Amino acid sequence: MAAAAAAAAATANLGSSSSSLNRPGRKPNINSALQTPSIPHFPKQSTTYTPSSTTISTPTTKLPKQDTLSLVAPSPKQQQKQWNFLQSAAAMALDAVESALVSHERQHPLPKTADPSVQISGNFAPVPEQPVVQDLPVTGKIPDCIQGVYLRNGANPFHEPVAGHHFFDGDGMVHAVQFKKGSVSYSSRFTETNRLVQERELGRPLFPKAIGELHGHSGIARLLLFYARGAFGIVDPSHGTGVANAGLVYFDGHLLAMSEDDLPYHVRVLPSGDLETVGRYDFDGQLQTTMIAHPKVDPVSGELFALSYDVVQKPYLKYFRFSPDGKKSPDVEIPLDQPTMMHDFAITERFVVVPDQQVVFKLPEMIRGGSPVIYDKNKMARFGILDKNATDASKTRWIEAPDCFCFHLWNAWEEPETDEVVVIGSCMTPPDSIFNECDESLESVLSEIRLNLKTGKSTRRQIMSEADQVNLEAGMVNRNLLGRKTQFAYLALAEPWPKVSGFAKVDLSTGEVHKYMYGDQKFGGEPLFLPRDPNSEREDDGYILAFVHDEKEWKSELQIVNAMNLKLEATVKLPSRVPYGFHGTFIGAKDLQKQA
């Protein structure tokens, strides 16, 4: 995700983003890795692409017998791709170099953050596409107000990794549950990115993996291999290298699948509930740079706000917005001393809140054998407050927030009586633990950060009591109140890390917390809050939707929970496994009819 932006830039004038690493074993002590073990299986498939004769072998491991992923072998038509003599010779030579590189890499143990046997094991393992299945069985009663489609994005590698692989590196797959006229359907489809289309045609992964592969000297070698293949026309990175696996937003009639190393991809929901990729989306030629995976739609104005960051050249950060009908503003270049990871940001009624934190990109670290994504202890974390309608960054107010790293920001609002902007986020320590292996256990603490515009000072408090403290990551507030003061946040209980055993409903002012658990040996992901009625007087009048996987029965379902009393309302049994994933959205039935 965020690290994917260093490959987008490390392949810079070509295309991608970078980061770091984790390790093998049956039951390792995973303090900071993003996965838990339990071994993936990719059925055998030739990784040789015509006309090269060099095969790069990959180790074969097993998944639970109920669940094997059928990878698509190249069709005869795909294998007949015509290259000239120079391209054929270059392909063979570069394959031989890569084969030697892979052999060298296998002489050294992979860290957990780059070990496929850790990163894509158990229910983190990929699944094949699921064409739409109608009339799914339902236990309980689905609330009448739920009409439309629930969608969730995730990482789902199409090909078996040949070397290092981090969970964030996988190809984007969108899972869709449609509620229509009393019936429920499910489908899942890959987002047809430029990267996926080419790798599927060539029969193997050739684009560098931002986190799993781009570290140290071997990462530099992989970048050079990619540059060379691009120069000879074996691959074409000119139309993007991203995986579109992180965020989803519905804006101006377009469902957009996003990762911050590329432009968004437009995905269309068909009347049947199935999905199709329309293509890479540049807002009718207006967007020329990458866009982060967490743009914000203002619920009152209908505008879309976004950031774009570059890890190679200045300006390292740009801010822009779109009118409700999709007209883009000029870029506002925000000066930064060094390229910084900005996976998320926040909006208020008047401001954009930009986190300039301590996880930074230093590509020269690869020359020294390390990861280009590092935690800079000497940097002072800070937040920038910028007017939403600013045409330049000259009036940005920077307020320091020592030792603060929030991977996600859940909401922000203004409190004029104290001249403060209040930011709600989960402060993560160690800050780079998702990307780099470390011995310290990860903590993600729900926090209130107050930025005083008059004094230029900040304060921070832990919202929940020490006794109630749990890791909270992935979630949301009522999106009808985004940028306004909210009472509740609905956040994933990321325990045992990195699995999600349930979700917490937290009162942001009192710290009172109520937990909903998915069930024995059942784990899920981000809870999505769906308001029952946008005009309801109660902020929590709505429902929580979440994909849940039963690790005993090896079956997946969608749970629908009443957000007011945390009682289960209905369960939809799904026809195939849904891996743990990232972020989602809901498109109402009326909005579906307005799709572009």
Side-chain angles (χ1 to χ4, degrees):
M1 303 168 117
T11 49
N13 299 328
L14 288 170
S16 183
S17 158
S18 70
S19 230
S20 196
L21 326 162
N22 252 325
R23 196 185 201 179
R26 188 85 179 133
K27 281 204 167 191
N29 178 22
I30 301 175
N31 290 328
S32 59
L34 225 100
Q35 306 292 339
T36 42
S38 171
I39 311 191
H41 173 237
F42 291 80
K44 291 181 180 179
Q45 170 188 328
S46 169
T47 56
T48 304
Y49 61 98
T50 307
S52 169
S53 62
T54 303
T55 299
I56 298 178
S57 61
T58 50
T60 304
T61 48
K62 285 188 178 177
L63 229 200
K65 62 185 179 184
Q66 308 96 311
D67 196 358
T68 55
L69 169 59
S70 301
L71 297 182
V72 181
S75 70
K77 180 180 178 182
Q78 290 168 334
Q79 291 176 339
Q80 291 168 6
K81 180 169 181 173
Q82 296 300 308
W83 287 333
N84 60 38
F85 174 78
L86 182 60
Q87 287 176 311
S88 299
M92 293 181 68
L94 293 170
D95 283 356
V97 171
E98 184 176 8
S99 184
L101 176 62
V102 170
S103 297
H104 173 74
E105 289 175 328
R106 289 185 184 156
Q107 295 173 17
H108 307 280
L110 287 166
K112 293 190 191 79
T113 47
D115 186 348
S117 71
V118 174
Q119 292 291 307
I120 48 173
S121 61
N123 193 45
F124 292 100
V127 293
E129 290 187 320
Q130 174 63 67
V132 66
V133 178
Q134 306 284 354
D135 300 319
L136 299 179
V138 176
T139 302
K141 184 180 185 302
I142 295 173
D144 294 337
C145 65
I146 301 181
Q147 297 292 323
V149 60
Y150 167 56
L151 302 125
R152 199 220 64 198
N153 210 345
N156 197 84
F158 182 82
H159 286 111
E160 180 176 9
V162 298
H165 181 93
H166 186 283
F167 183 47
F168 290 174
D169 291 328
D171 298 294
M173 175 176 275
V174 178
H175 303 261
V177 177
Q178 180 165 253
F179 303 87
K180 186 176 182 180
K181 298 177 181 178
S183 178
V184 186
S185 69
Y186 169 79
S187 67
S188 62
R189 295 290 186 183
F190 282 104
T191 298
E192 300 281 321
T193 62
N194 174 55
R195 175 191 190 115
L196 175 64
V197 169
Q198 290 189 60
E199 290 188 335
R200 184 168 56 200
E201 180 177 307
L202 293 168
R204 50 177 284 213
L206 290 177
F207 285 65
K209 294 186 176 178
I211 311 176
E213 293 180 345
L214 296 190
H215 47 87
H217 300 144
S218 64
I220 296 173
R222 289 194 173 280
L223 282 177
L224 293 175
L225 275 170
F226 186 64
Y227 285 135
R229 284 174 171 142
F232 283 104
I234 297 167
V235 295
D236 178 11
S238 64
H239 300 292
T241 61
V243 288
N245 66 14
L248 292 171
V249 69
Y250 185 74
F251 174 71
D252 188 30
H254 297 79
L255 171 64
L256 302 179
M258 300 162 292
S259 57
E260 55 233 53
D261 53 349
D262 206 340
L263 299 184
Y265 276 81
H266 177 197
V267 177
R268 183 173 170 79
V269 182
L270 302 179
S272 66
D274 211 341
L275 302 166
E276 69 174 7
T277 303
V278 179
R280 199 162 174 252
Y281 188 63
D282 62 4
F283 292 84
D284 297 325
Q286 299 177 91
L287 183 63
Q288 305 300 322
T289 60
T290 62
M291 186 171 87
I292 70 169
H294 289 288
K296 309 297 180 187
V297 177
D298 188 295
V300 176
S301 72
E303 296 169 288
L304 181 77
F305 301 87
L307 300 176
S308 172
Y309 65 84
D310 193 306
V311 306
V312 172
Q313 60 187 5
K314 292 185 176 182
Y316 295 131
L317 182 65
K318 290 185 281 192
Y319 157 72
F320 47 89
R321 68 186 189 279
F322 295 91
S323 66
D325 59 355
K327 299 283 192 307
K328 182 179 175 294
S329 72
D331 291 337
V332 175
E333 297 180 359
I334 301 175
L336 298 177
D337 292 334
Q338 58 186 322
T340 300
M341 190 183 76
M342 292 188 193
H343 180 67
D344 201 359
F345 73 113
I347 61 171
T348 70
E349 287 187 67
R350 293 186 297 152
F351 301 121
V352 174
V353 182
V354 178
D356 178 20
Q357 301 175 126
Q358 293 166 291
V359 176
V360 299
F361 297 99
K362 292 190 176 181
L363 300 184
E365 289 295 317
M366 295 175 71
I367 299 172
R368 291 187 278 272
S371 164
V373 180
I374 68 166
Y375 168 44
D376 184 352
K377 296 178 182 178
N378 297 319
K379 179 181 177 180
M380 173 60 73
R382 59 182 187 163
F383 287 88
I385 311 297
L386 178 68
D387 190 283
K388 277 180 170 178
N389 298 316
T391 56
D392 62 58
S394 60
K395 294 184 179 179
T396 305
R397 290 289 309 276
W398 289 105
I399 298 176
E400 294 180 348
D403 299 318
C404 176
F405 175 76
C406 296
F407 196 53
H408 291 108
L409 300 177
W410 310 121
N411 199 17
W413 62 80
E414 302 155 40
E415 293 194 352
E417 59 276 14
T418 59
D419 280 319
E420 289 179 315
V421 171
V422 179
V423 181
I424 306 296
S426 291
C427 292
M428 185 178 289
T429 56
D432 62 341
S433 56
I434 289 179
F435 308 107
N436 296 312
E437 188 170 15
C438 61
D439 296 327
E440 188 178 347
S441 296
L442 181 142
E443 286 190 356
S444 186
V445 178
L446 182 63
S447 303
E448 176 194 86
I449 303 151
R450 288 182 168 266
L451 309 172
N452 192 300
L453 299 177
K454 183 181 289 184
T455 66
K457 304 291 185 183
S458 72
T459 60
R460 186 174 80 202
R461 73 174 180 91
Q462 183 175 309
I463 290 176
M464 297 181 344
S465 70
E466 204 61 56
D468 288 331
Q469 177 54 38
V470 288
N471 286 329
L472 296 178
E473 254 302 329
M476 64 184 62
V477 299
N478 183 330
R479 286 181 175 168
N480 288 336
L481 296 171
L482 192 70
R484 284 78 184 162
K485 186 172 184 176
T486 43
Q487 181 179 358
F488 300 110
Y490 309 90
L491 302 168
L493 285 166
E495 299 197 354
W497 178 265
K499 293 182 181 179
V500 172
S501 53
F503 66 86
K505 176 184 179 181
V506 184
D507 188 310
L508 299 175
S509 58
T510 67
E512 183 179 5
V513 57
H514 296 278
K515 299 176 184 176
Y516 174 86
M517 309 307 291
Y518 292 134
D520 182 40
Q521 290 300 301
K522 289 184 176 183
F523 301 94
E526 176 190 73
L528 180 133
F529 177 82
L530 180 65
R532 183 186 63 82
D533 180 346
N535 300 314
S536 176
E537 293 184 3
R538 285 195 57 164
E539 179 185 319
D540 60 348
D541 185 4
Y543 300 92
I544 300 294
L545 280 66
F547 283 123
V548 175
H549 181 68
D550 187 328
E551 294 199 350
K552 282 193 304 184
E553 300 297 325
W554 208 248
K555 293 180 180 178
S556 297
E557 62 193 22
L558 178 74
Q559 293 190 7
I560 302 172
V561 180
N562 188 308
M564 290 193 288
N565 58 24
L566 300 192
K567 301 293 185 184
L568 181 65
E569 297 274 345
T571 300
V572 179
K573 301 298 181 183
L574 301 175
S576 56
R577 180 170 66 86
V578 179
Y580 305 133
F582 300 135
H583 305 290
T585 192
F586 191 94
I587 306 175
K590 292 181 179 178
D591 284 330
L592 279 176
Q593 297 172 5
K594 302 174 186 175
Q595 283 186 99

Short mmCIF file of all heavy atoms in Angstrom, two decimals, residues 290-333:
data_model
loop_
_atom_site.label_atom_id
_atom_site.label_comp_id
_atom_site.label_asym_id
_atom_site.label_seq_id
_atom_site.Cartn_x
_atom_site.Cartn_y
_atom_site.Cartn_z
N THR A 290 -0.18 9.86 -9.22
CA THR A 290 -0.81 8.86 -8.36
C THR A 290 -1.75 9.55 -7.37
O THR A 290 -1.71 10.77 -7.17
CB THR A 290 0.26 8.09 -7.57
OG1 THR A 290 0.96 9.01 -6.72
CG2 THR A 290 1.25 7.41 -8.50
N MET A 291 -2.60 8.76 -6.73
CA MET A 291 -3.53 9.28 -5.73
C MET A 291 -3.58 8.28 -4.59
O MET A 291 -3.65 7.07 -4.81
CB MET A 291 -4.92 9.46 -6.34
CG MET A 291 -5.92 10.12 -5.41
SD MET A 291 -7.48 10.55 -6.25
CE MET A 291 -8.40 9.02 -6.05
N ILE A 292 -3.52 8.77 -3.34
CA ILE A 292 -3.51 7.84 -2.22
C ILE A 292 -4.83 7.08 -2.14
O ILE A 292 -5.84 7.48 -2.73
CB ILE A 292 -3.20 8.54 -0.88
CG1 ILE A 292 -4.35 9.44 -0.42
CG2 ILE A 292 -1.89 9.32 -0.96
CD1 ILE A 292 -4.17 9.92 1.01
N ALA A 293 -4.82 5.98 -1.37
CA ALA A 293 -5.95 5.05 -1.36
C ALA A 293 -7.07 5.47 -0.42
O ALA A 293 -8.07 4.77 -0.29
CB ALA A 293 -5.46 3.66 -0.99
N HIS A 294 -6.92 6.62 0.27
CA HIS A 294 -7.94 7.08 1.21
C HIS A 294 -8.39 8.50 0.91
O HIS A 294 -8.28 9.40 1.76
CB HIS A 294 -7.43 6.99 2.64
CG HIS A 294 -7.30 5.60 3.15
ND1 HIS A 294 -8.37 4.80 3.48
CD2 HIS A 294 -6.20 4.83 3.37
CE1 HIS A 294 -7.96 3.63 3.89
NE2 HIS A 294 -6.64 3.61 3.83
N PRO A 295 -8.90 8.78 -0.30
CA PRO A 295 -9.48 10.10 -0.54
C PRO A 295 -10.73 10.27 0.33
O PRO A 295 -11.30 9.28 0.79
CB PRO A 295 -9.83 10.06 -2.02
CG PRO A 295 -10.08 8.62 -2.31
CD PRO A 295 -9.12 7.86 -1.44
N LYS A 296 -11.13 11.50 0.56
CA LYS A 296 -12.27 11.78 1.44
C LYS A 296 -13.39 12.48 0.67
O LYS A 296 -13.14 13.47 -0.02
CB LYS A 296 -11.84 12.68 2.61
CG LYS A 296 -10.61 12.21 3.36
CD LYS A 296 -10.80 10.87 4.05
CE LYS A 296 -9.55 10.45 4.79
NZ LYS A 296 -9.64 9.08 5.32
N VAL A 297 -14.60 11.97 0.82
CA VAL A 297 -15.78 12.62 0.25
C VAL A 297 -16.46 13.41 1.36
O VAL A 297 -16.85 12.85 2.39
CB VAL A 297 -16.76 11.60 -0.35
CG1 VAL A 297 -18.02 12.32 -0.87
CG2 VAL A 297 -16.11 10.81 -1.48
N ASP A 298 -16.57 14.73 1.16
CA ASP A 298 -17.25 15.56 2.15
C ASP A 298 -18.75 15.27 2.06
O ASP A 298 -19.35 15.44 0.99
CB ASP A 298 -16.97 17.04 1.90
CG ASP A 298 -17.51 17.92 3.01
OD1 ASP A 298 -18.76 17.97 3.18
OD2 ASP A 298 -16.71 18.56 3.71
N PRO A 299 -19.40 14.85 3.16
CA PRO A 299 -20.81 14.46 3.08
C PRO A 299 -21.76 15.62 2.83
O PRO A 299 -22.91 15.40 2.42
CB PRO A 299 -21.07 13.83 4.46
CG PRO A 299 -20.06 14.47 5.36
CD PRO A 299 -18.85 14.69 4.51
N VAL A 300 -21.30 16.85 3.04
CA VAL A 300 -22.16 18.02 2.84
C VAL A 300 -21.94 18.61 1.44
O VAL A 300 -22.89 18.79 0.68
CB VAL A 300 -21.91 19.08 3.92
CG1 VAL A 300 -22.74 20.34 3.64
CG2 VAL A 300 -22.25 18.52 5.30
N SER A 301 -20.70 18.90 1.09
CA SER A 301 -20.43 19.53 -0.20
C SER A 301 -20.40 18.54 -1.36
O SER A 301 -20.58 18.93 -2.52
CB SER A 301 -19.09 20.28 -0.15
OG SER A 301 -18.00 19.35 -0.13
N GLY A 302 -20.14 17.26 -1.07
CA GLY A 302 -20.03 16.27 -2.13
C GLY A 302 -18.70 16.28 -2.85
O GLY A 302 -18.49 15.53 -3.81
N GLU A 303 -17.75 17.12 -2.40
CA GLU A 303 -16.43 17.18 -3.03
C GLU A 303 -15.57 15.99 -2.59
O GLU A 303 -15.77 15.42 -1.51
CB GLU A 303 -15.72 18.47 -2.62
CG GLU A 303 -16.38 19.74 -3.10
CD GLU A 303 -15.77 20.96 -2.44
OE1 GLU A 303 -16.01 21.15 -1.22
OE2 GLU A 303 -15.04 21.70 -3.12
N LEU A 304 -14.59 15.65 -3.43
CA LEU A 304 -13.61 14.62 -3.13
C LEU A 304 -12.25 15.29 -2.92
O LEU A 304 -11.81 16.08 -3.75
CB LEU A 304 -13.51 13.61 -4.27
CG LEU A 304 -12.53 12.45 -4.06
CD1 LEU A 304 -13.13 11.41 -3.13
CD2 LEU A 304 -12.15 11.79 -5.39
N PHE A 305 -11.58 14.95 -1.80
CA PHE A 305 -10.28 15.53 -1.46
C PHE A 305 -9.23 14.42 -1.46
O PHE A 305 -9.50 13.30 -1.02
CB PHE A 305 -10.35 16.21 -0.08
CG PHE A 305 -11.37 17.31 -0.01
CD1 PHE A 305 -12.68 17.05 0.32
CD2 PHE A 305 -11.00 18.62 -0.31
CE1 PHE A 305 -13.63 18.06 0.36
CE2 PHE A 305 -11.94 19.64 -0.27
CZ PHE A 305 -13.26 19.37 0.06
N ALA A 306 -8.03 14.74 -1.95
CA ALA A 306 -7.02 13.69 -2.09
C ALA A 306 -5.61 14.27 -2.00
O ALA A 306 -5.39 15.48 -2.16
CB ALA A 306 -7.19 12.96 -3.42
N LEU A 307 -4.65 13.37 -1.76
CA LEU A 307 -3.23 13.67 -1.76
C LEU A 307 -2.52 12.78 -2.77
O LEU A 307 -3.03 11.71 -3.13
CB LEU A 307 -2.61 13.45 -0.38
CG LEU A 307 -3.12 14.25 0.81
CD1 LEU A 307 -2.43 13.79 2.08
CD2 LEU A 307 -2.92 15.74 0.60
N SER A 308 -1.35 13.21 -3.19
CA SER A 308 -0.48 12.40 -4.03
C SER A 308 0.95 12.62 -3.54
O SER A 308 1.36 13.76 -3.35
CB SER A 308 -0.58 12.81 -5.50
OG SER A 308 0.41 12.15 -6.29
N TYR A 309 1.68 11.52 -3.29
CA TYR A 309 3.06 11.72 -2.87
C TYR A 309 4.04 11.01 -3.79
O TYR A 309 3.72 10.02 -4.43
CB TYR A 309 3.28 11.35 -1.40
CG TYR A 309 3.12 9.90 -1.00
CD1 TYR A 309 4.16 9.00 -1.14
CD2 TYR A 309 1.93 9.45 -0.41
CE1 TYR A 309 4.03 7.68 -0.72
CE2 TYR A 309 1.79 8.15 0.01
CZ TYR A 309 2.85 7.26 -0.14
OH TYR A 309 2.71 5.96 0.27
N ASP A 310 5.24 11.58 -3.86
CA ASP A 310 6.31 11.08 -4.73
C ASP A 310 7.51 10.77 -3.83
O ASP A 310 7.84 11.56 -2.95
CB ASP A 310 6.67 12.15 -5.76
CG ASP A 310 7.55 11.62 -6.88
OD1 ASP A 310 8.61 11.03 -6.59
OD2 ASP A 310 7.19 11.80 -8.06
N VAL A 311 8.17 9.65 -4.06
CA VAL A 311 9.28 9.28 -3.19
C VAL A 311 10.63 9.50 -3.84
O VAL A 311 11.67 9.20 -3.25
CB VAL A 311 9.17 7.81 -2.72
CG1 VAL A 311 7.82 7.55 -2.10
CG2 VAL A 311 9.41 6.85 -3.88
N VAL A 312 10.64 10.04 -5.06
CA VAL A 312 11.89 10.23 -5.79
C VAL A 312 12.23 11.70 -5.98
O VAL A 312 13.36 12.12 -5.75
CB VAL A 312 11.84 9.51 -7.16
CG1 VAL A 312 13.06 9.87 -8.00
CG2 VAL A 312 11.76 8.01 -6.96
N GLN A 313 11.28 12.49 -6.41
CA GLN A 313 11.59 13.88 -6.75
C GLN A 313 10.57 14.84 -6.15
O GLN A 313 9.43 14.47 -5.88
CB GLN A 313 11.63 14.04 -8.27
CG GLN A 313 10.32 13.67 -8.96
CD GLN A 313 10.43 13.67 -10.47
OE1 GLN A 313 11.51 13.84 -11.01
NE2 GLN A 313 9.31 13.48 -11.15
N LYS A 314 11.01 16.08 -5.96
CA LYS A 314 10.12 17.13 -5.47
C LYS A 314 9.20 17.59 -6.59
O LYS A 314 9.58 17.52 -7.75
CB LYS A 314 10.94 18.30 -4.93
CG LYS A 314 11.72 17.96 -3.65
CD LYS A 314 12.41 19.20 -3.10
CE LYS A 314 13.10 18.88 -1.78
NZ LYS A 314 13.75 20.06 -1.18
N PRO A 315 8.00 18.06 -6.26
CA PRO A 315 7.43 18.13 -4.91
C PRO A 315 7.05 16.74 -4.40
O PRO A 315 6.46 15.94 -5.14
CB PRO A 315 6.19 19.01 -5.10
CG PRO A 315 5.78 18.77 -6.53
CD PRO A 315 7.06 18.56 -7.29
N TYR A 316 7.41 16.45 -3.15
CA TYR A 316 7.12 15.14 -2.57
C TYR A 316 5.64 14.96 -2.25
O TYR A 316 5.18 13.84 -2.08
CB TYR A 316 7.95 14.95 -1.30
CG TYR A 316 9.44 14.88 -1.54
CD1 TYR A 316 10.32 15.65 -0.79
CD2 TYR A 316 9.97 14.05 -2.53
CE1 TYR A 316 11.69 15.59 -1.00
CE2 TYR A 316 11.35 13.99 -2.75
CZ TYR A 316 12.20 14.76 -1.98
OH TYR A 316 13.55 14.70 -2.20
N LEU A 317 4.90 16.07 -2.14
CA LEU A 317 3.50 15.97 -1.76
C LEU A 317 2.67 17.01 -2.49
O LEU A 317 3.07 18.18 -2.60
CB LEU A 317 3.35 16.17 -0.24
CG LEU A 317 1.93 16.04 0.32
CD1 LEU A 317 1.40 14.63 0.16
CD2 LEU A 317 1.91 16.45 1.79
N LYS A 318 1.50 16.56 -2.98
CA LYS A 318 0.54 17.47 -3.62
C LYS A 318 -0.86 17.20 -3.08
O LYS A 318 -1.21 16.06 -2.77
CB LYS A 318 0.56 17.28 -5.14
CG LYS A 318 1.83 17.77 -5.80
CD LYS A 318 1.79 17.68 -7.31
CE LYS A 318 2.05 16.27 -7.79
NZ LYS A 318 2.29 16.20 -9.25
N TYR A 319 -1.63 18.28 -2.98
CA TYR A 319 -3.02 18.19 -2.55
C TYR A 319 -3.91 18.70 -3.67
O TYR A 319 -3.56 19.65 -4.38
CB TYR A 319 -3.22 19.05 -1.29
CG TYR A 319 -4.65 19.50 -1.06
CD1 TYR A 319 -5.63 18.58 -0.67
CD2 TYR A 319 -5.03 20.82 -1.26
CE1 TYR A 319 -6.95 18.99 -0.48
CE2 TYR A 319 -6.33 21.24 -1.06
CZ TYR A 319 -7.30 20.33 -0.68
OH TYR A 319 -8.60 20.73 -0.50
N PHE A 320 -5.06 18.07 -3.85
CA PHE A 320 -6.03 18.53 -4.84
C PHE A 320 -7.42 18.06 -4.44
O PHE A 320 -7.58 17.22 -3.55
CB PHE A 320 -5.67 18.03 -6.25
CG PHE A 320 -5.33 16.56 -6.32
CD1 PHE A 320 -6.31 15.61 -6.55
CD2 PHE A 320 -4.02 16.13 -6.16
CE1 PHE A 320 -6.01 14.26 -6.62
CE2 PHE A 320 -3.69 14.78 -6.23
CZ PHE A 320 -4.69 13.84 -6.46
N ARG A 321 -8.41 18.60 -5.11
CA ARG A 321 -9.80 18.24 -4.82
C ARG A 321 -10.59 18.19 -6.13
O ARG A 321 -10.16 18.71 -7.15
CB ARG A 321 -10.43 19.23 -3.85
CG ARG A 321 -10.66 20.60 -4.42
CD ARG A 321 -11.15 21.60 -3.36
NE ARG A 321 -11.55 22.86 -3.96
CZ ARG A 321 -10.71 23.83 -4.31
NH1 ARG A 321 -9.42 23.69 -4.13
NH2 ARG A 321 -11.19 24.95 -4.86
N PHE A 322 -11.75 17.53 -6.05
CA PHE A 322 -12.66 17.45 -7.19
C PHE A 322 -14.02 17.97 -6.78
O PHE A 322 -14.51 17.67 -5.68
CB PHE A 322 -12.80 16.00 -7.67
CG PHE A 322 -11.53 15.40 -8.22
CD1 PHE A 322 -10.66 14.71 -7.38
CD2 PHE A 322 -11.21 15.52 -9.56
CE1 PHE A 322 -9.50 14.15 -7.87
CE2 PHE A 322 -10.04 14.96 -10.06
CZ PHE A 322 -9.18 14.28 -9.21
N SER A 323 -14.65 18.73 -7.66
CA SER A 323 -16.02 19.17 -7.43
C SER A 323 -16.94 17.95 -7.52
O SER A 323 -16.54 16.90 -8.04
CB SER A 323 -16.41 20.22 -8.46
OG SER A 323 -16.44 19.64 -9.76
N PRO A 324 -18.18 18.05 -7.04
CA PRO A 324 -19.09 16.90 -7.08
C PRO A 324 -19.28 16.31 -8.48
O PRO A 324 -19.56 15.12 -8.61
CB PRO A 324 -20.40 17.47 -6.54
CG PRO A 324 -19.99 18.60 -5.66
CD PRO A 324 -18.78 19.20 -6.33
N ASP A 325 -19.10 17.13 -9.53
CA ASP A 325 -19.25 16.60 -10.89
C ASP A 325 -17.90 16.24 -11.52
O ASP A 325 -17.80 16.07 -12.74
CB ASP A 325 -20.01 17.59 -11.78
CG ASP A 325 -19.32 18.95 -11.88
OD1 ASP A 325 -18.30 19.15 -11.17
OD2 ASP A 325 -19.79 19.80 -12.64
N GLY A 326 -16.84 16.14 -10.68
CA GLY A 326 -15.58 15.58 -11.17
C GLY A 326 -14.59 16.56 -11.74
O GLY A 326 -13.60 16.15 -12.36
N LYS A 327 -14.76 17.87 -11.52
CA LYS A 327 -13.79 18.85 -12.02
C LYS A 327 -12.65 18.99 -11.02
O LYS A 327 -12.88 19.27 -9.83
CB LYS A 327 -14.47 20.21 -12.21
CG LYS A 327 -15.62 20.21 -13.22
CD LYS A 327 -15.12 20.20 -14.64
CE LYS A 327 -16.24 20.50 -15.64
NZ LYS A 327 -17.42 19.66 -15.52
N LYS A 328 -11.42 18.84 -11.48
CA LYS A 328 -10.26 18.85 -10.60
C LYS A 328 -9.72 20.26 -10.38
O LYS A 328 -9.68 21.07 -11.31
CB LYS A 328 -9.15 17.96 -11.18
CG LYS A 328 -7.89 17.86 -10.31
CD LYS A 328 -6.86 16.95 -10.96
CE LYS A 328 -5.57 16.92 -10.18
NZ LYS A 328 -4.89 18.22 -10.17
N SER A 329 -9.29 20.53 -9.16
CA SER A 329 -8.62 21.79 -8.86
C SER A 329 -7.17 21.73 -9.30
O SER A 329 -6.62 20.64 -9.51
CB SER A 329 -8.67 22.06 -7.35
OG SER A 329 -7.79 21.17 -6.67
N PRO A 330 -6.48 22.86 -9.41
CA PRO A 330 -5.03 22.82 -9.61
C PRO A 330 -4.34 22.16 -8.42
O PRO A 330 -4.84 22.22 -7.29
CB PRO A 330 -4.64 24.30 -9.72
CG PRO A 330 -5.90 25.00 -10.09
CD PRO A 330 -7.01 24.24 -9.44
N ASP A 331 -3.21 21.51 -8.66
CA ASP A 331 -2.45 20.91 -7.57
C ASP A 331 -1.90 21.99 -6.65
O ASP A 331 -1.47 23.06 -7.10
CB ASP A 331 -1.26 20.11 -8.10
CG ASP A 331 -1.70 18.85 -8.84
OD1 ASP A 331 -2.82 18.37 -8.58
OD2 ASP A 331 -0.92 18.35 -9.67
N VAL A 332 -1.92 21.71 -5.36
CA VAL A 332 -1.25 22.55 -4.36
C VAL A 332 -0.01 21.78 -3.91
O VAL A 332 -0.12 20.71 -3.30
CB VAL A 332 -2.16 22.85 -3.16
CG1 VAL A 332 -1.38 23.61 -2.08
CG2 VAL A 332 -3.38 23.63 -3.59
N GLU A 333 1.16 22.30 -4.23
CA GLU A 333 2.41 21.65 -3.84
C GLU A 333 2.73 21.99 -2.40
O GLU A 333 2.88 23.16 -2.04
CB GLU A 333 3.54 22.07 -4.76
CG GLU A 333 3.32 21.65 -6.21
CD GLU A 333 4.46 22.07 -7.13
OE1 GLU A 333 5.42 22.71 -6.62
OE2 GLU A 333 4.39 21.78 -8.34
#
